[in-house]
Amino acid sequence: MQTTLAFDVYGTLIDTQGVLVELQKLLGDQAPAFSARWREKQLEYSFRRGLMQNYQDFSVCTRDALEFCDRFYQTQLTAEQKQQLLACYRTLPAFDDAKAALQELSEAGFRLFAFSNGSAEAVKGLLQHAGIDGFFEGVVSVEDLKSFKPNPAVYSHFLRSSSARANETWLISSNPFDVIGAVSAGWQAAWVQRSSEAVFDPWGIEPDARVTSLGELKRVLDAAR
């Protein structure tokens, strides 16, 4: 049995806080709070659009969340500065543990896919820029369904696209909502708890595994085989 691994991209493989460096140039000490709120609103807007069935590309959610934060914090960013920040989202860095872990898992015979709320074009460009695109059999994006995780239909779409079975598929994600969505869809899932301060949602639905870095995955997945 060949296990399929569906890697979330933003926040799991790719460090969304990479934009913090640019924000600090513009906002100084206000940057960390601005960056965290921007990420929260980005996800919130995707959830709301999914529920409303009013789909727009994830980049639109990112843009609108930036506009919200600019108004909320009264930072009065210029149009040029906003474009500069949005451009950062196309060139975010991979986490330091990503490349070695993906290589190890690929060499061990796991099937690797990128599975994202982002558009296929944006994700492919991001992975290529980060130097980790070569490890994946493919990129599966929610744009084909015009919805977002954790819609159950999105997880079914992944299985169809990758020719995988739910009981042979693991989601790898640092986002608790994504892990809960995958487990609810009959998958197994590993939560990447990148910070000791990160809290998993207390819904009574738990990940099958918890790791603090991607480098722990092979050991955990081998034990589960």
Side-chain angles (χ1 to χ4, degrees):
M1 179 178 71
Q2 192 173 20
T3 303
T4 299
L5 306 182
F7 281 86
D8 174 58
V9 177
Y10 294 96
T12 302
L13 294 172
I14 299 296
D15 186 2
T16 56
Q17 289 301 301
V19 74
L20 185 58
V21 174
E22 201 63 36
L23 279 169
Q24 286 172 329
K25 296 176 185 176
L26 299 173
L27 305 179
D29 293 341
Q30 205 171 12
F34 189 106
S35 181
R37 178 62 64 91
W38 185 8
R39 173 63 172 163
E40 290 171 1
K41 295 302 288 189
Q42 177 196 53
L43 292 174
E44 178 191 330
Y45 286 175
S46 72
F47 298 154
R48 286 162 61 177
R49 285 192 174 279
L51 285 168
M52 293 167 62
Q53 299 181 22
N54 182 10
Y55 177 82
Q56 291 288 340
D57 187 283
F58 195 60
S59 64
V60 174
C61 299
T62 304
R63 181 201 67 197
D64 291 347
L66 173 60
E67 184 63 36
F68 171 90
C69 290
D70 183 44
R71 297 180 186 185
F72 182 85
Y73 290 104
Q74 300 180 7
T75 43
Q76 298 182 326
L77 295 169
T78 67
E80 183 180 359
Q81 288 170 332
K82 291 174 185 176
Q83 285 303 315
Q84 185 178 345
L85 289 169
L86 291 170
C88 288
Y89 256 91
R90 298 194 291 271
T91 57
L92 289 170
F95 282 104
D96 291 341
D97 58 358
K99 190 169 187 176
L102 293 171
Q103 182 170 346
E104 181 180 40
L105 292 165
S106 180
E107 291 175 351
F110 292 96
R111 301 178 68 218
L112 275 55
F113 288 83
F115 178 39
S116 179
N117 273 341
S119 69
E121 181 182 5
V123 171
K124 288 175 182 177
L126 196 58
L127 297 177
Q128 184 176 16
H129 182 269
I132 56 175
D133 58 310
F135 296 109
F136 298 99
E137 287 189 32
V139 171
V140 179
S141 168
V142 302
E143 67 180 333
D144 297 325
L145 291 186
K146 300 193 181 305
S147 187
F148 292 102
K149 302 174 185 176
N151 183 342
V154 171
Y155 299 95
S156 295
H157 170 63
F158 175 88
L159 297 178
R160 291 192 298 272
S161 299
S162 62
S163 300
R165 297 179 180 177
N167 63 352
E168 298 172 358
T169 301
W170 280 75
L171 176 79
I172 314 298
S173 180
S174 64
N175 297 302
F177 77 85
D178 197 6
V179 170
I180 290 172
V183 172
S184 297
W187 297 20
Q188 297 178 87
W191 180 42
V192 185
Q193 186 182 9
R194 290 199 170 276
S195 168
S196 59
E197 298 176 355
V199 177
F200 197 84
D201 296 311
W203 280 30
I205 299 174
E206 296 293 327
D208 296 279
R210 296 176 184 235
V211 297
T212 58
S213 77
L214 297 176
E216 300 171 33
L217 280 173
K218 184 177 181 299
R219 172 184 56 81
V220 168
L221 293 169
D222 282 344
R225 278 177 158 176

